[in-house]
Amino acid sequence: MPRYDHSSIEPKWQAFWAENRTFETPDQPKEGSAGKLYVLDMFPYPSGDGLHVGHPEGYTATDIMCRYARHQGKHVLHPMGWDAFGLPAEQHAIKTGTHPRDTTYKNIDTFRRQLQMLGFSYDWSREISTTDEEYVHWTQWIFLQLFNSWFDPTFEWTGPDGVKRTGKARPIADLPIPDDVKSQGETAIRSYQDERRLAYQSEAPVNWCPALGTVLANEEVTAEGKSERGNHPVERRKLRQWMLRITAFAERLLNELEPLDWPESVKSLQRNWIGKSIGAEVDFFVLEPGKKADASDKRLDQRASSGYPAKPGDDVLRVYTTRPDTLFGATYMVVAPEHPIVDRIVTAEQKEAVEEYRRKSANKTDLDRTDLAKEKTGVFTGAYALNPVNGAETPIWIADYVLMSYGTGAIMAVPAHDERDLEFAQTFDLPVIPVVQPPDEKTDPIGFTDPGTAVNSGDYDGTPTAEFKKKITADLAQLGLGREAVNYRLRDWLFSRQRYWGEPFPIWHELDADGNPTGMIRGVDESELPVTLPDMDDFAPKGTPDPPLSAAPESWLYKTAADGTRLRRETNSMPQWAGSCWYYLRFCDPKNTEAFIDPEKEKYWLPVDCYIGGAEHAVLHLLYSRFWHKALFDLGHLSKPEPFQKLVNQGMILGEAELTAYRIADESAYSDKRDEKFATDLQRPWVSARNVTEEDGQYVEKETGAVLEAVMIDNDQVTKKGNDFVLKDDASIVVESRAHKMSKSRGNVINPDDIVKNYGADALRLYEMFMGPLEQTKPWSMSGVEGVYRFLGRVWRMMVDDAAESVTLNPAIKDVEPTEAQDRVLHKTIKAVTEDIEKLSFNTAISRMMEFTNEFSGQNPRPKSAMSQFLLLLSPFAPHLAEELWQVLGHSDSLAYAAWPKFDEAKLVESEIEIPVQVNGKLRAKIKVPAGSDAKAMEAAAKADESVAAQLEGKQIVKTVCIPGRLVNFVVKG
RNA sequence: GCCGAAGUGGCGGAAUGGCAGACGCGUCGGAUUCAAAAUCCGAUGGGGGUAAACCCCGUGCGGGUUCGAGUCCCGCCUUCGGUACCA
């Protein structure tokens, strides 16, 4: 009795595909190709834990798309690779002494085995790892492109895509050098260039994580001031770091997002991350210490003729505001503690307090900063500035709620119309002047931040906010006191890490005679790429920001240039993002030793037609990739402005749903906190889930604060009450019903290996697609897996004779013409499955195939042609089973490139259809009418129906709604 | 606080403004079996009614548009995800 045996079928076909190179993608399309399709998965980090059930979700979705597209005659590129640099392998090395390379390639082998076991149709001949030396070569080459260019914000040009743009990355050699720099000589010129490169060094306060021994990007630090990886504390330190000038591309990253076929949510995340705001810069003149504003001060007036300077003078405090209309309400100013003007303006009396505050805030970690968000702090500098619109003397404070890195690092504070300023003003008892009247008279203008009408604003009184903004910005520009300004929340990308297991920078530092760096740098010559990692066996962080590579062998670390200059290598390494920024390009031409990608191949394959992966990369990876892509585009290496045309986020797969009840954790805790009657109770009392809250990782009862323990409850111990589940024994105790994220600590992790072993790869693939919509978060269910496994068994028995000794065709399958009814079911199924695949609605496609199977399993004879066509529909989802049965049906070839079945609309038509009849919108009857009946015929048929007639009896028909083929609705009165 | 997504049976989920709950799980009943597993058949939103016919209620809550609303509009509530002094 040959049963459906996945464990023999699946390895058989995997071996067949590998031997026959079924899924290798030739560079040239086959004759008559229906066009190219590039479908990409976000390649995984090959962690030591192996594949997680989340991986096959997106991978199955793309695999279905690709297999379907091959049946449609498309030239499909479907590659896989490894994002293999990263912390865990290095931490493993520190612990065990195993070289990160060994760990990494071992893990890659595991991942490859697991993915191949799932039957994905990747072209494995294109496999790449970001850690391969040839790959590192081109990652470093791209870095050099960035290093060797600058951004010209005013350059107008038309790209290969025919779009006109302003602003372009250009070769550094094209950077105009001002005469005063030129006159200072070669060193000055080089410094001038270095400051303007797309890859540049900066000495800035950065997020230093002692536990990880590295600096982290802002993006890698959580709101709580912890590292995203590992949750270790992060502190601020001033260090020399490599930065990438992503901010130069802010406007294009924002604008060119619009036409992409991406989820609106991801676009909006990126928009918020870029954070464009439009406002004005305004100059306030600082008064000399002890001096009052007086008529002899002509500085304001002089600006009318001198105009608005590009850089503010020493006696000017320049602020950025999105609300220039509230200038009349600016009662004080605040500068960031790091602001350079502080030293110039602070008065003798305030100096000590200011210095003390600056010291404190410099050491503040991000954690402290957010903690202090509740209460504003700051110190008065003793200095005043002149409000340009009314000459009012405005005190200047320093406070760390103003950030040096945004805008000009200084603000005008309008406490009446800004929450933060109001809080600060209230703390320090500063004046609050309302200058915006809310549209609703009853609303208090103090604390009102929305648009309204100007008050207390001199001649501008009565002007609506939007108009006022434009007007005063123009007026200030006229007087040379301000101008319109745009700001972005986006910061330059901190690109260096202090780790061993990453790409080395292709950079040399020049040394002086004493071996000290001169500050001059040069790129490694392209012919010397790649810069490979030196062999080392000590990877441990030293607790100092000296990278592990600074302990590399001398031969790696130093060399003497042709011109005799002594050089030392850059010892920072690149972040993990570097490799993933451009891997989608390399897949098109993975073995090219002359270039990172052949331009013809780039033109042919790009952009990626569909990119599927987790939402956790919505901002970082996708923004970084787009940035690199645009820079390479500007430099003429790429022909399309965007890398990923369509993006889909797969939803997270949670663990199996759990029921949790809570009860008092221990006797002592409850006996003194709760009522007497409970104290005598032997059983520790349950607490309704509604009264439970989480504090510091502990569950506690809301009112009493008593510590609780969570208890897993069985299905049969609860009952449904309203919207809640409650204990059967005590209906007042609400039980929490929820699926949690899979985690080792919770013990709810599902291992794909186990599923494949017990149910097979086809069942795992099918189940993950059947769970629900791809984009949605959904809980795992073991009995759901059994459900689809049973379905596969039904498909097997529909085609195979399970009474026979060996695998033979089911005798019900005959070479006969399908009946009209069979044809209808078949063509309905073809239509539905085809359309569902195109919509990526895989769960409903599977439902349709189940319906087909339910229908045809009961039929005898079963036409062979219908069976063959059905197998093609099933094959993208369950390729192993489909291939096996395809063979059983007598086909000798693989079905991988067989033509997709076509449906015939004519065969979908039924001769008679059932139509609902409503009376006043309520369903009253169903009638059968010939297909294609017109409204009149339908109405007549409806009226002729007995129960409809009864409903209409003695009533007046006001209106009849008749939609041919859909329904009849009588609107009646009386 | 702000931004985004979502609320439909016991559960996962289906429904171009037109028969709510396709399909699967679970449950119940039956067939097969010495028995079980596997498999097959049937029932299954809630309430009333006689296990029929039939009737009433039902897509988070409250309004609205419409002959007709799970679907569109307005206002709330809840959950999940992201974000956080960005002037």
Side-chain angles (χ1 to χ4, degrees), chain A residues 915-927 942 945-952 955 968-970 972:
Chain A
I915 294 290
V917 181
Q918 301 181 338
V919 176
N920 281 347
K922 283 192 176 182
L923 179 71
R924 292 301 177 189
K926 290 172 188 180
I927 54 166
D945 183 86
E946 235 176 84
S947 63
V948 175
Q951 287 287 340
L952 296 177
K955 288 174 185 151
V968 181
N969 186 12
F970 295 106
V972 301

Side-chain angles (χ1 to χ4, degrees), chain A residues 567-588:
Chain A
L567 302 172
R568 183 180 196 262
R569 274 195 203 279
E570 169 66 52
T571 55
N572 282 297
S573 55
M574 298 189 200
Q576 200 181 348
W577 309 108
S580 60
C581 263
W582 71 284
Y583 74 110
Y584 61 93
L585 293 169
R586 191 65 180 170
F587 278 136
C588 304

Side-chain angles (χ1 to χ4, degrees), chain A residues 744-760:
Chain A
K744 276 188 205 157
S745 59
R746 204 171 258 281
N748 60 352
V749 177
I750 303 287
N751 182 347
D753 283 345
D754 297 341
I755 307 297
V756 171
K757 186 160 167 275
N758 296 324
Y759 302 97

